[in-house]
Amino acid sequence: MSRAIELFARMHEVRSVTADERGHQTLTGDVILAVFGKVQHKMPLGMDLLMAKYVHDVPAANRIIDVMATWLNDESLKRKDLAMALSCVALDVFCDKPVASQKRQLAALWRKYSDQAKRSNRLIKRWQVKIKQLQRNIDNCETHAAEERLLFAINELEALIIKERRRIDEYAQCQSLKSLTCPRCSGTGLILNTGECSSCNGHGLFVPSIDNIRQHLRHIGLGRVSDKLWESELKPLFEMSLTKIYVYSQDAATEIAHMLELEIRP
């Protein structure tokens, strides 16, 4: 991450008021925000892209989608509905969000390897051991009332297990929407004492492939796409949209860096 982008992200954090370098203040918050304002006025799309990616700004993302819709007006397309869907996927890819075909795999990894999942699994195992103990005690009950108390305790523990599994499943689903980072290796691509992470093949990330993008259309209910339509129209359009997004965002980041450099110079 460049220094300009680092400052951009930090200045949008709740507690950020200044930016400094090695303890010596070189730029005040007011100056940095003024630079952002100038670049926003000069390059609104580029700044919205940075806001969407690094600050997760929803209104900025909506403005980007509106702009991408205008790009399609200049294209002679057979399926503009699919083209618009792919443009939105291109924005998700730029913002490091997984596409639909990857979310299930990511959710499964979060459900198995996250710290939350490990704590839940330990808790569930303790409850399961307790249930087995109570079940064995039922055979030794001398009264119906005692047996009823044990059965009630078992039912309570089983309800807790169901609730905990539901909670960790919801957590995994939520996390799978946020990041492409592999939960098993935490983005390093390596597993301690094992070597390359087999879940992400050592990449640390689940970067969508072209095949993932094509599968995404089926996952969101738009149906199958013929090879001819995909190769002749949709794939080139997706690549064009993604290229434009990166160009606009990089131009804005470069302009921020340039203007901040001018502010630092005496």
Side-chain angles (χ1 to χ4, degrees), residues 241-260:
S241 297
L242 195 58
T243 298
K244 280 187 175 182
I245 286 172
Y246 276 107
V247 169
Y248 277 107
S249 63
Q250 184 57 50
D251 286 348
T254 301
E255 184 66 12
I256 290 174
H258 174 67
M259 294 184 71
L260 288 174

Side-chain angles (χ1 to χ4, degrees), residues 95-125:
C95 292
D96 297 328
K97 293 181 179 179
V99 296
S101 59
Q102 295 176 305
K103 290 173 185 175
R104 183 178 300 175
Q105 184 179 7
L106 279 164
L109 291 172
W110 278 105
R111 198 178 295 114
K112 185 174 182 180
Y113 294 108
S114 67
D115 290 337
Q116 288 266 9
K118 291 174 183 177
R119 285 194 292 270
S120 289
N121 288 334
R122 288 195 296 268
L123 189 60
I124 288 171
K125 285 179 180 179

Side-chain angles (χ1 to χ4, degrees), residues 35-203:
V35 167
F36 292 161
K38 290 178 182 178
V39 179
Q40 176 72 49
H41 181 74
K42 184 178 180 181
M43 301 176 167
L45 178 56
M47 282 295 286
D48 278 345
L49 285 164
L50 297 181
M51 290 288 289
K53 179 167 185 172
Y54 296 105
V55 190
H56 312 295
D57 188 288
V58 174
N62 291 335
R63 290 193 295 270
I64 296 165
I65 292 171
D66 290 340
V67 172
M68 291 192 298
T70 65
W71 295 349
L72 301 182
N73 292 335
D74 300 328
E75 303 289 334
S76 55
L77 302 170
K78 296 179 180 178
R79 293 291 304 274
K80 286 199 173 184
D81 57 333
L82 295 179
M84 191 64 232
L86 278 175
S87 296
C88 293
V89 176
L91 178 58
D92 283 344
V93 171
F94 169 75
C95 292
D96 297 328
K97 293 181 179 179
V99 296
S101 59
Q102 295 176 305
K103 290 173 185 175
R104 183 178 300 175
Q105 184 179 7
L106 279 164
L109 291 172
W110 278 105
R111 198 178 295 114
K112 185 174 182 180
Y113 294 108
S114 67
D115 290 337
Q116 288 266 9
K118 291 174 183 177
R119 285 194 292 270
S120 289
N121 288 334
R122 288 195 296 268
L123 189 60
I124 288 171
K125 285 179 180 179
R126 286 201 297 269
W127 287 335
Q128 288 173 333
V129 169
K130 184 64 175 176
I131 287 173
K132 288 181 180 179
Q133 292 173 346
L134 293 173
Q135 287 173 336
R136 286 196 295 268
N137 291 339
I138 289 177
D139 296 333
N140 300 321
C141 287
E142 296 181 355
T143 66
H144 181 70
E147 183 178 339
E148 286 294 322
R149 284 194 297 270
L150 290 176
L151 289 173
F152 180 78
I154 289 172
N155 289 337
E156 281 195 324
L157 289 172
E158 289 176 340
L160 287 174
I161 290 174
I162 293 172
K163 184 178 179 181
E164 186 63 22
R165 283 176 173 164
R166 185 181 297 120
R167 187 191 70 80
I168 199 62
D169 185 63
E170 291 173 354
Y171 170 78
Q173 294 292 341
C174 181
Q175 292 300 116
S176 71
L177 303 176
K178 294 180 179 180
S179 173
L180 294 168
T181 302
C182 176
R184 186 176 186 183
C185 64
S186 300
T188 64
L190 299 172
I191 303 296
L192 187 63
N193 300 325
T194 301
E196 182 180 286
C197 175
S198 58
S199 296
C200 63
N201 296 320
H203 298 300

